[in-house]
Amino acid sequence: TTAFPAGTYRNISGNLALAYGLITASHQADLPLFLGSYPITPASDILHELSRHKNFGIRTFQAEDEIAGIGAALGAAFGGSLGVTTTSGPGVALKSETIGLAVSLELPLLVIDIQRGGPSTGLPTKTEQADLLQAMYGRNGEAPVPVVAPKTPADCFDAALEATRIALTYRTPVFLLSDGYLANGSEPWRIPELDELPDLTVQFAQGPNHTMPDGTEVFWPYKRDPHTLARPWAIPGTPGLEHRIGGIEKQDGTGNISYDPANHDHMVRTRQAKIDGITVPDLDVDDPHGANTLVLGWGSTYGPITAAVRRLRTAGEPIAQAHLRHLNPFPKNLGEVLARYERIVVPEMNLGQLATLIRAKYLVDARSYNQVNGMPFKAEQLADTLRETLRGN
């Protein structure tokens, strides 16, 4: 087998791949794309690139601040566009209330976080992957949001399509966690054929969807699809589909304001169940030799981990590797995969955020290997650490 499948290739950076992925997602969904953004390193390239493509129905708005950027994007989603906002960690902090509003409104919205060194303004030009817990939990109340992470610069294209699929299918904001290393790194990218791209088209609400006891037909904005638990997406101004929106808790079905304790409990659990029920592919495990040790990664650590694992296998050491693209919800088979291994090592450019989630959910003794110096891991240094783990140190 050849290293590269046959096709037409070009060199691409992560941010350019992400921008092309968003344009493609907009085309495949047959929706206009609206980007509401505020410039921030290392995410600004996406705003610059998308602003060049008005001919594809792309609208870019450089807002006066982060909050205005996401507010405009969420408003565009309410109006029937594919709403996107791009930022880095400090901007996510400012956007968090509006992300919570999107959770409550149950509208599709892409929140793209190109992570950098923190906290506060931190290291704007250096890479880090320390926003995972912020993406998972950085909002008030129970506000679950799906999280998708690309693993290579070219993979940012596919991750944008996958994040869009989830947002549109389940009517939810979705986090896409890239980072400075992927954003500015580059690799050969095979340009996909049109028939390989997913169909992302959406059915908007057309008319009444609920019959009252007296036989009257009405539109209930929070009546759910029984499979996805997604609510209908109604374009404002459509006759008969008028409905109230806002951040205050809604009555199940009708969307009317409700302070009823039992209703709030039901809505919180329903929103969580909607995210938990998202269909994501099973985790692939690369384990040709039946190893006892698994290296589990996410995001841009894929390159260094793969290179380190290759070095160890060449030296005759059996070691398994798996890489998570979906961080919320986790793949259904993750618990079963983890149970197969005596030792699990999680290399991360943070102080152990994925390891914390894995330990909490699956009660496994996942060991962290952490580096937060603003630089990617070096394969040799990672291989040395994994070799010590294999020897039981």
Side-chain angles (χ1 to χ4, degrees):
T1 58
T2 56
F4 293 103
T8 305
Y9 283 80
R10 58 156 293 168
N11 187 43
I12 203 162
S13 71
N15 275 349
L16 185 58
L18 222 164
Y20 286 178
L22 292 172
I23 295 167
T24 305
S26 162
H27 180 271
Q28 293 301 106
D30 198 21
L31 294 175
L33 185 144
F34 179 91
L35 174 72
S37 187
Y38 181 77
I40 183 171
T41 303
S44 301
D45 297 342
I46 302 167
L47 168 63
H48 301 159
E49 184 61 36
L50 288 178
S51 69
R52 298 188 177 111
H53 296 290
K54 296 178 181 66
N55 54 313
F56 289 118
I58 310 295
R59 294 289 170 269
T60 52
F61 168 52
Q62 181 173 322
E64 65 269 32
D65 57 42
E66 296 280 5
I67 299 170
I70 190 173
L74 184 56
F78 177 60
S81 291
L82 177 58
V84 185
T85 192
T86 51
T87 189
S88 191
V92 173
L94 292 164
K95 295 177 193 289
S96 60
E97 186 183 1
T98 308
I99 297 169
L101 176 59
V103 170
S104 175
L105 297 182
E106 302 193 42
L107 285 170
L109 178 70
L110 300 181
V111 180
I112 294 171
D113 175 7
I114 315 296
Q115 300 164 95
R116 70 191 210 187
S120 188
T121 3
L123 301 171
T125 62
K126 301 296 183 185
T127 198
E128 203 163 281
Q129 48 178 179
D131 295 351
L132 176 56
L133 294 183
Q134 178 178 224
M136 288 285 288
Y137 301 121
R139 293 163 294 285
N140 62 300
E142 295 286 347
V145 172
V147 181
V148 175
K151 61 185 181 180
T152 69
D155 190 43
C156 290
F157 177 88
D158 295 315
L161 288 166
E162 176 65 353
T164 304
R165 174 190 74 85
I166 294 171
L168 295 178
T169 305
Y170 297 91
R171 313 280 198 263
T172 176
V174 176
F175 261 100
L176 194 160
L177 290 182
S178 177
D179 63 41
Y181 181 44
L182 294 182
N184 298 313
S186 63
E187 68 174 328
W189 172 59
R190 187 178 71 84
I191 300 168
E193 300 296 330
L194 282 174
D195 60 7
E196 297 170 9
L197 299 170
D199 178 7
L200 300 175
T201 47
V202 177
Q203 188 65 51
F204 289 111
Q206 301 297 323
N209 62 358
H210 185 76
T211 306
M212 301 297 282
D214 65 0
T216 314
E217 294 203 327
V218 294
F219 175 66
W220 273 17
Y222 282 82
K223 186 160 185 167
R224 299 178 184 280
D225 180 295
H227 302 294
T228 62
L229 299 182
R231 78 175 187 91
W233 193 3
I235 300 295
T238 310
L241 302 188
E242 298 85 358
H243 60 285
R244 176 185 288 138
I245 64 162
I248 293 179
E249 185 61 283
K250 294 130 189 71
Q251 185 181 42
D252 185 33
T254 69
N256 295 332
I257 288 174
S258 171
Y259 290 96
D260 175 57
N263 176 77
H264 177 57
D265 186 273
H266 173 73
M267 291 297 276
V268 166
R269 292 175 188 277
T270 303
R271 286 187 290 261
Q272 184 66 55
K274 181 174 77 165
I275 305 308
D276 291 343
I278 290 171
T279 304
V280 303
D282 275 352
L283 180 65
D284 284 333
V285 185
D286 174 23
D287 184 7
H289 307 115
N292 293 326
T293 300
L294 172 71
V295 190
L296 182 69
W298 71 278
S300 70
T301 55
Y302 177 76
I305 289 173
T306 304
V309 164
R310 196 175 289 155
R311 286 179 184 217
L312 291 172
R313 287 180 184 165
T314 303
E317 308 257 19
I319 189 162
Q321 176 188 1
H323 212 76
L324 287 166
R325 157 173 279 187
H326 294 91
L327 297 152
N328 194 32
F330 284 131
K332 292 277 188 288
N333 69 332
L334 177 56
E336 178 266 316
V337 166
L338 295 172
R340 297 206 301 257
Y341 294 93
E342 287 175 26
R343 290 180 295 270
I344 296 149
V345 184
V346 186
E348 296 180 82
M349 294 187 293
N350 58 43
L351 292 181
Q353 297 188 13
L354 174 62
T356 297
L357 294 173
I358 294 290
R359 291 173 74 106
K361 185 170 174 66
Y362 299 103
L363 304 180
V364 297
D365 184 19
R367 306 179 187 191
S368 281
Y369 177 60
N370 308 114
Q371 171 181 301
V372 274
N373 59 8
M375 304 294 285
F377 283 107
K378 288 188 166 63
E380 184 176 6
Q381 156 202 4
L382 200 47
D384 289 344
T385 301
L386 294 173
R387 193 176 285 110
E388 285 182 21
T389 305
L390 290 170
R391 291 177 183 149
N393 296 339

